[in-house]
Amino acid sequence: MNSPWTRRAFLRGAGVALALPALPSLFATSARSDDAPPVRLIFWYVANGIHMPAWTPSTTGRDYDLPLILEPLAPIQHQVSVLTGLTNMAGRFSLPGDHARGTGCFLTCERPEHTADANIRNGISIDQVAAQATEGATPYPSIQLGLESGGSTGNCDSGYSCAYTRNISWADDRTPLPKMHDPRVVFDRLFGGMEEADPELAERRRALRLSVLDAVADDARRLQQRAGASDRQKLDQYLTGVRDVERRIESMDAGVCDVPGRPESGLDLPERALAMNDLMAMAVQCDLTRFVSYMFANGGSGRSHTWIDGASGNHHGISHHQNNPAEHRKLERINRWEVSVFADFLQRLQAMPEGEEGTVLDNTLVLFGSEISDGNRHNHDDLPVLLAGGGGGAVQPGHHRVYADEPIADLYLAMLQAVGVTRSAFGMDGTRPLSGLR
Amino acid sequence: MRPTLLALALVACSGSPSTDLNADPRAEDPGRVTARRLNRSEYNRTVRDLLFTDLRPADSFPPDDFAHGWDHMADALTLSPLHLELYEQAADALIAQELRNPIVPEGTWFFDANDPELVATTGAAGSTGYMLWSNGSLVGTARLDHPGTYTFTASLAATQAGPDLARAALTIDGANVATFEVTGERRYAEYTTEVELTAGAHTVGVAFLNDYYNPELGEDRNLLVERFQLDGPFGTPDEPTAARSLYYTCAPDSGASCRADILRGFARRAWRRPPSADGLSMLTGLTEGAIALGADPEEAVHTGIKAALLSPRFLFRLELGDDPTAAVSRPLDPYELASRLSYFLWRSMPDEELFELAASEQLLEPEILEQQTRRMLADPRATSLIDDLAGQWLYLRAVDDIEPDYATFPDFDGALRDDMRAELDHFVAEIVLEDRSMLDLLTEEQTWVSARLAEHYGVAPPIEHDQDLGPVYLDEQGRAGLLGKAGLLTALSFPTRTSPVKRGQWVMAHLLCEDPPPAPAEVEGLPEHEGEPLSLRERMERHREDPACATCHKVMDPIGFSMENFDAVGAFRTHNVDGTQIDPSGSWPGGPSFADSADLSFALAEDPRVASCMVRNVFAYALARPAGIEDIPYLDRIDHAFEEGEHRFATLAVSIVLSEPFRRTRGEPEVTP
């Protein structure tokens, strides 16, 4: 079998030396030197809450105990903190629809407008605050991934638009960013063309791509001369898109890194999840992007975990456990599997050396969370939250830290600080970076 | 046309003035449509018809912008940088699959010498390979799909003895195709030859030719076989794909003029008109430039074709006249008209017949246009009207997203949801594509269900089946037409309970074209866990006590309550959850009264607003823009033709196609600031 890690190819990605001078204020608050590895933020969402009795460690501080659901973290525990006692107030409201609201506000901490029509409204998400503040540093300002498909129209939860349950990244209050859910599409977009080992051939392909884009842009400009105002505006959008792709091809100009193998087609869901782990890890290691949001499932997902013994059936249905111990056991199995895939991802980052003696995980912050806490109560406090990685020294991982009902928005402000972006407020209730993470 | 009482009752409620009651026809203006990006449905259907592909690249494109209830409105469709990236990927994938140089893919037929399936005339398997200890052969069977040049390789060694080296032959069908002196002493080496083979089964293997045995001296010459294999065929031309046969009318390596011919033919279909000189020279310039860069003619032509697929001429439907600012309308040219027609009825590109009628300009003749419209409606591609037109206007697609509460409806699952969608698809196709009166959409009491859905409805399963669906009648439950369909009723419910407001509001907006203004934010949605001991109906009565709410709710609520016999997954019930009896009867102030949902559907079918609303929806769908006040004179004529034509879809489609807004366009006068 072809190991995905052995094929070496030229990756014309922005290497370690980034265009920092273009972003003079970016690292102003950071003590990091210019040639320090980049810091990344990854936001990992799971659906339908967590069975908290088998999640929350009974001890605090270092070497906290690992309840059943967290057991898969054992090999990487020193890099993972459990943060107990965080709340997303924006999810609370007097209407049904907690899954949509909780998923909508997962990274925005703003209360989504109750609508199933086109007049959706939410806030900008934290990953996009970071991406927009550092635009231009990497070929992709951010990427959005998921394991389940579905568009952004229609009514997905009690009169809430599917835009809220199927996207967690929002470029602004009205623009959800669609996610890619097919690992092959993700591969083609991020690594397409890079697997060509013959540099001469790779160079010609690149030249041909650019010449095609140049030619169609010229063509669009010719057509614009014959177009009225509205048509010209549509062609302007087209030209912006062409320029964007051209810039991306041109910026992929230095550096060498490993390119994973193209994922096979027809993978089942657990295999797709591992393929995504591969692609995400490679994307951040190669510095193709620094901000990733990942929906392990859509909000309120009803998928059946047929590959886990004794856990099949509608996940959303099971999460309404009504305190039935049999349903609790199923939830524990689902949640434990979710954590095991997360642990696999962390171990991949940990296995990638970076800087003097660190790893990619040392220079990354990975947040794991859900739209609610308990699937039966739909509560938006006591959220299940993991924070993995060192964030380039911003965070001291490996602790169970307990907070007294503090806003998760404050955690996001702290994560933002780790990438050198300082903001004094975020969402409905974020006012200062969460303390006690070091 | 005299407005009905219902229509009058609605005027007070409607968020915007009912345009047709305040008509003030001005100078006729057929309007214009902004450059339309192909939406996902159109992209997939267009590449299917352009390249005969089964790829559906647009499935991974971002969701299309949604406006006025549609996903193909020209003004609303935006194009993001992500689109461009995915267009580029899609073009690469389409070209690689559908326009590849048709060479038979190479294969390997591998034989492990110790495989017990092989046939040997002598010798035995051993730990270091198969030993032929006397003259004889070891063979297997290779079944080849394609004739051509193959390489035949064997890994051989020997135990040497006597005066000569061991001699071996590679054999095919019993004949020696190559002989070798095997030099290694128990060390394997590869021996290769090239062979021409026909398709079919061949016996391939290795023969030992010069056994030597001298028991006195203890000398024994043997041949050792580790493995052998066939690889190939190399460079065998394969059946070209359908697209390759159509566009590659000559060999790309035969010269620049051939390559230009290929590009011209491709661009004509991809750009839906013969390419202009500047458009074609863009493609040929790229192709010849690629050759100058060292690309082979295959890759060079692919480069030109990729540009054709990335050009705005493919990705957008453009209607550029000579004067982009002209306020005076012009007739569409025949190619523009062909595209309008094909995207209306098929959501895809014109076919060859339309291209030919455009080339001869016959398409501009009304009789030809009508005849083509009817021909196209009979084509299988017209099923796009079910998913794209009815899918959005009549909410068929919304059924794919229904998710009733698991605890309240434990029997509901994805299979039942699919059956609900299949019922609606079949029901609408039966009326729209069979050219029956579209009012039957409201009143037809026969429907087509699976056995599972029949059980859900509480009726005996259908006796006859066609693709799992069979006809049943649901009239005894007070069900008629669309408003009795489980899928629609579920889509218009909350996960745990029915919503008379949603159902009533939907009927107003989608069947009467009277969209009520949204309720004030603070009252929107009935709180789920309200503790008052009021029935739903009693609570809803309170809508009408507040004058601000009453204007709309007194029309909306009776519609919704007539459907209360159908629960939040559309199953029949006679009693509410709290045990009270359901009363589906109702009336509008000063309007008709009705006994139940079916009765209401029949009343709606008689209301001219319903037919008129159908016209407005299909008109917007056909033109990719909403109907505006300038369209009223045209819409009135279409309304009339629709009524005269007994409300058949084909009549409606023809009268829209023949209308000026469909056949003409104008420029966009510059607004002086």
Side-chain angles (χ1 to χ4, degrees), chain A residues 96 114 155 166 188-189 204 209 211-212 215-216 219 222 226-231 234 237-238 244 248 317, chain B residues 32 34-35 74-75 77-79 82 85 88-89 278 293-294 299 310-313 324 401 406 502 524 668:
Chain A
H114 186 230
N155 172 358
R166 293 173 180 173
D188 290 345
R189 181 158 178 239
R204 190 172 78 222
R209 277 181 81 186
S211 67
V212 166
V216 294
D219 198 32
R222 260 198 310 276
R226 293 166 49 204
S230 308
D231 291 350
K234 296 289 171 195
Q237 289 178 358
Y238 173 90
D244 204 80
R248 201 156 286 157
Chain B
R32 63 180 304 284
T34 304
D75 281 311
L77 282 176
T78 57
L79 189 151
L82 176 59
E85 280 183 54
E88 199 195 357
Q89 273 181 33
D278 59 351
L293 270 174
E299 190 182 9
L310 287 181
S311 161
R313 300 172 199 251
D401 284 330
Y406 170 80
K502 271 188 172 187
E524 197 180 343
E668 194 178 11

Side-chain angles (χ1 to χ4, degrees), chain B residues 55 87 151 168-169 214 258 319 351 413 421 492 501 532 545 559 561 599-600 625 641 669:
Chain B
L55 294 178
Y87 289 148
T151 59
N214 186 332
C258 160
E319 290 165 359
D351 67 355
D413 60 18
R421 171 77 202 253
L492 299 175
V501 172
E532 314 170 44
E545 288 164 14
I559 300 175
F561 280 116
D599 211 22
L600 169 81
R625 65 167 177 84

Side-chain angles (χ1 to χ4, degrees), chain B residues 29-49:
Chain B
D29 173 9
R32 63 180 304 284
V33 189
T34 304
R36 274 140 289 178
R37 166 168 77 66
L38 299 184
N39 73 2
R40 295 204 297 183
S41 170
E42 291 165 341
Y43 190 98
N44 277 337
R45 293 175 197 274
T46 302
V47 298
R48 176 201 63 196
D49 295 341

Side-chain angles (χ1 to χ4, degrees), chain B residues 84-276:
Chain B
L84 253 301
E85 280 183 54
L86 296 176
Y87 289 148
E88 199 195 357
Q89 273 181 33
D92 285 337
L94 288 165
I95 290 168
Q97 176 164 320
E98 304 302 342
L99 295 174
R100 65 177 186 276
N101 192 13
I103 297 291
V104 170
E106 291 154 24
T108 294
W109 288 258
F110 177 85
F111 302 90
D112 180 332
N114 280 342
D115 184 342
E117 297 282 304
L118 298 187
V119 179
T121 56
T122 180
S127 59
T128 59
Y130 192 96
M131 180 180 282
L132 288 168
W133 56 53
S134 56
N135 285 356
S137 63
L138 174 72
V139 298
T141 303
R143 287 181 179 79
L144 309 180
D145 293 332
H146 302 280
T149 308
Y150 291 76
T151 59
F152 185 6
T153 308
S155 176
L156 305 174
T159 57
Q160 308 287 3
D164 303 318
L165 288 170
R167 286 183 62 77
L170 301 182
T171 71
I172 292 190
D173 299 327
N176 296 347
V177 293
T179 59
F180 301 96
E181 288 192 330
V182 178
T183 51
E185 169 65 30
R186 291 190 177 276
R187 286 182 54 162
Y188 281 106
E190 288 195 346
Y191 298 84
T192 297
T193 189
E194 209 167 80
V195 285
E196 290 293 326
L197 294 172
T198 56
H202 293 281
T203 311
V204 298
V206 176
F208 182 28
L209 303 176
N210 60 342
D211 184 36
Y212 170 87
Y213 181 49
N214 186 332
E216 282 123 56
L217 296 175
E219 287 181 334
D220 189 6
R221 184 190 301 147
N222 300 305
L223 182 69
L224 285 162
V225 186
E226 187 184 35
R227 56 187 160 77
F228 51 94
Q229 70 187 66
L230 278 180
D231 290 283
F234 297 103
T236 299
D238 197 1
E239 269 310 290
T241 59
R244 180 99 183 181
S245 315
L246 178 62
Y247 301 115
Y248 281 59
T249 50
C250 51
D253 56 9
S254 65
S257 74
C258 160
R259 293 188 285 271
D261 284 346
I262 295 172
L263 293 169
R264 186 181 301 108
F266 184 79
R268 169 175 163 274
R269 285 172 52 85
W271 295 348
R272 303 174 279 272
R273 62 189 309 129
S276 60

Side-chain angles (χ1 to χ4, degrees), chain A residues 94-96 113-115 117-118 140 150-159 162 166 178 180-182 184-190 201 204-205 207-209 211-213 215-216 219-220 222-232 234-235 237-242 244-245 248-249 299-302 313-314 316-318 320 322 327 330, chain B residues 32-35 40 59-60 62-64 66-67 74-82 84-89 92 271 278-279 282 286 289-290 293-296 299 303-304 306-308 310-313 315-316 318-325 395 400-407 491 493-495 502 521 524-528 668 670:
Chain A
S94 59
L95 287 175
E113 176 88 13
H114 186 230
T115 176
D117 292 321
Y140 297 88
S152 295
T153 55
N155 172 358
C156 271
D157 183 8
S158 307
C162 299
R166 293 173 180 173
M180 296 181 283
H181 63 272
D182 179 347
R184 289 163 71 84
V185 173
V186 178
F187 175 86
D188 290 345
R189 181 158 178 239
L190 295 181
L201 205 56
R204 190 172 78 222
R205 293 241 163 102
L208 289 180
R209 277 181 81 186
S211 67
V212 166
L213 292 169
V216 294
D219 198 32
R222 260 198 310 276
L223 293 168
Q224 270 190 329
Q225 293 166 7
R226 293 166 49 204
S230 308
D231 291 350
R232 276 204 305 275
K234 296 289 171 195
L235 290 167
Q237 289 178 358
Y238 173 90
L239 285 166
T240 304
V242 172
D244 204 80
V245 178
R248 201 156 286 157
I249 298 170
S301 166
N314 181 312
H316 175 231
I318 295 168
H320 283 260
Q322 304 188 310
E327 303 291 280
K330 290 185 194 170
Chain B
R32 63 180 304 284
V33 189
T34 304
R40 295 204 297 183
D59 289 355
S60 59
D64 292 308
F66 202 67
D75 281 311
L77 282 176
T78 57
L79 189 151
S80 68
L82 176 59
L84 253 301
E85 280 183 54
L86 296 176
Y87 289 148
E88 199 195 357
Q89 273 181 33
D92 285 337
W271 295 348
D278 59 351
M282 164 184 85
L286 275 168
L293 270 174
D296 67 32
E299 190 182 9
T303 304
K306 181 173 171 182
L310 287 181
S311 161
R313 300 172 199 251
L315 296 169
F316 288 85
L318 302 162
E319 290 165 359
L320 303 177
D322 294 333
D323 179 3
T325 61
Y395 256 41
D400 298 339
D401 284 330
I402 57 180
E403 210 147 300
D405 181 63
Y406 170 80
S493 295
F494 287 121
K502 271 188 172 187
E524 197 180 343
L526 211 52
E528 188 86 19
E668 194 178 11
E670 298 284 344

